[in-house]
Amino acid sequence: FDMFFLAFVERLFRPSFRKDDFVLGKKLGEGAFGVVYRVSLAKKPSSKREGDLVLKKATEYGAVEIWMNERVRRACANSCADFVYGFLERSSKKGDEYWLIWRFEGETTLYDLMQSKEFPYNVEAMILNEVQDLPKGLERENRIIQTIMRQILFALDGLHSTGIVHRDIKPQNIIFSEGSQSFKIIDLGAAADLRVGINYIPNEFLLDPRYAAPEQYIMSTQTPSAPSPPVATILSPVLWQMNLPDRFDVYSAGLIFLQMAFPGLHTDNSLIQFNRQLKRCDYDLVAWRKSVEPRAGPELRRGFELLDLDGGIGWELLTSMVRYKARQRISAKAALAHPYFDREGLLVLSFMQ
Ligand code: ADP
Ligand code: MG
């Protein structure tokens, strides 16, 4: 059977919805390309006050975001928030809007969690139900961060193996799923764009400069112009190997790793400052470390100490993710197999999940 035929049949047997089926609740977010609400089904008012679904009313990029979510649903469902349905809502007043529906995964993003003084212990309480054998301190924090990083990389590997580059990986787009008790990726709004445009020139509005890798083009400009979507969203393995567009996401994930290790970098403003310093060091993390470590305050020193645990295996992974040249960055799959995740203690944690 053809993949598109299967998709069609699958869709035929899924419930379909229209605008009037939903009751709008609290607004969860508002970006340049859409508004996100918590919603419930009108027919089935949930016993809880708040809805168990999420609605994004999207403009231009909605069509591709629906397509991306459909694809993720079938190919790597556990990587991203659970997508329910998407449709076009025609309106003469407001212009056409794409409505996208997901299951409500939970209240908190990794960003929210990182803003707490308790981080990473507040995450530990969510992902581990057994009392830790380690006293509070660096080693325990490192283990929690390891678990978060493994979940992020696992989700990312799923996307990349499916042929999707997210391009907007950041703590705001990583949600804690209460159902699966693990982190999932959300917001495939920017994922599509690079495959749509000729030469894959990214739309600058779609890129978050705080987490974006330095390369301006994630596909070489020599690449023959892209076919139109949705065919364009499946990159040929040859083009993929030539350009390694997935390493853009790996860079962003590396920055999240760094942010988690250094409490002083938890806020976005501090990350902007870090990016300036890193740029001055030509995106060389080792050079950056040399420049800041001699005059580092206790917070910065603590971050280095955490990454230096177990012979510096964390620092080794971090520096393989955050590199100037995409080609020199580790892949999400290879990162998962990195010895950083390979310790006895971690095996125990993974069984507990
Ligand atoms: P955008 O960043 O384009 O506004 P997102 O898809 O990132 O849109 O969603 C905005 C916010 O809505 C997220 O940061 C998150 O807080 C919340 N959200 C999105 N999807 C879900 C979901 N499936 N479950 C729970 N909350 C969600
Ligand atoms: Mg977002």
Side-chain angles (χ1 to χ4, degrees), residues 28-31 34 36 54 56 65 81-82 102-107 109 112 172-173 175 186-188:
L28 296 175
E30 179 157 15
V36 180
V54 168
K56 183 187 265 189
E65 192 172 352
D82 197 357
W102 293 268
R103 219 161 288 292
F104 180 81
E105 295 281 358
E107 301 275 352
T109 63
D112 302 326
Q172 291 88 338
N173 285 340
I175 194 140
I186 55 171
D187 202 352
L188 292 162

Side-chain angles (χ1 to χ4, degrees), residues 262-325:
F262 294 93
L265 292 181
H266 285 182
T267 66
D268 280 349
N269 275 343
S270 54
L271 191 64
I272 291 171
Q273 217 195 327
F274 162 83
N275 281 331
R276 260 187 237 123
Q277 296 172 350
L278 189 63
K279 195 173 176 183
R280 250 182 267 132
C281 300
D282 294 322
Y283 297 94
D284 180 348
L285 260 188
V286 175
W288 170 77
R289 180 170 183 164
K290 272 190 194 132
S291 78
V292 296
E293 206 168 21
R295 51 185 172 84
E299 274 206 336
L300 208 54
R301 255 184 281 132
R302 202 164 192 281
F304 286 125
E305 237 178 277
L306 185 146
L307 293 164
D308 282 344
L309 288 171
D310 304 308
I313 204 72
W315 175 253
E316 209 290 320
L317 174 62
L318 177 67
T319 51
S320 348
M321 295 176 78
V322 181
R323 278 193 184 141
Y324 181 74
K325 286 206 169 124

Side-chain angles (χ1 to χ4, degrees), residues 42-212:
K43 271 178 289 181
K44 192 194 110 202
S46 51
S47 45
K48 287 169 275 170
R49 226 163 14 98
E50 297 190 274
D52 46 13
L53 299 172
V54 168
L55 159 71
K56 183 187 265 189
K57 294 187 190 176
T59 53
E60 297 121 272
Y61 298 99
V64 204
E65 192 172 352
I66 291 175
W67 202 90
M68 285 286 155
N69 274 280
E70 292 280 354
R71 206 164 138 59
V72 164
R73 251 180 73 87
R74 290 189 302 272
C76 54
N78 297 329
S79 289
C80 296
D82 197 357
F83 186 62
V84 177
Y85 195 67
F87 56 95
L88 175 63
E89 181 60 35
R90 293 196 185 278
S91 144
S92 46
K93 264 185 290 166
K94 289 183 282 179
D96 290 352
E97 270 178 348
Y98 291 94
W99 285 40
L100 291 88
I101 311 286
W102 293 268
R103 219 161 288 292
F104 180 81
E105 295 281 358
E107 301 275 352
T108 42
T109 63
L110 181 58
Y111 178 82
D112 302 326
L113 290 161
M114 244 167 30
Q115 300 315 299
S116 157
K117 265 200 155 9
E118 290 298 305
F119 185 87
Y121 294 107
N122 55 348
V123 178
E124 177 181 36
M126 299 165 86
I127 49 181
L128 310 173
N129 20 31
E130 309 238 333
V131 180
Q132 274 286 339
D133 53 329
L134 287 169
K136 280 203 174 184
L138 272 182
E139 277 203 44
R140 185 151 152 191
E141 285 159 36
N142 184 38
R143 279 209 206 169
I144 304 165
I145 291 172
Q146 267 174 347
T147 306
I148 303 170
M149 273 314 287
R150 187 156 33 74
Q151 293 182 356
I152 295 174
L153 287 166
F154 179 81
L156 213 48
D157 177 38
L159 280 182
H160 293 168
S161 305
T162 306
I164 295 174
V165 182
H166 187 282
R167 288 206 327 141
D168 199 14
I169 293 294
K170 56 183 176 183
Q172 291 88 338
N173 285 340
I174 294 172
I175 194 140
F176 186 76
S177 164
E178 277 153 23
S180 68
Q181 301 214 335
S182 64
F183 287 96
K184 290 183 175 181
I185 293 170
I186 55 171
D187 202 352
L188 292 162
D193 194 61
L194 74 157
R195 293 136 193 271
V196 176
I198 289 170
N199 289 339
Y200 305 91
I201 297 168
N203 179 334
E204 276 172 41
F205 286 108
L206 285 178
L207 290 181
D208 189 319
R210 294 165 303 188
Y211 295 89

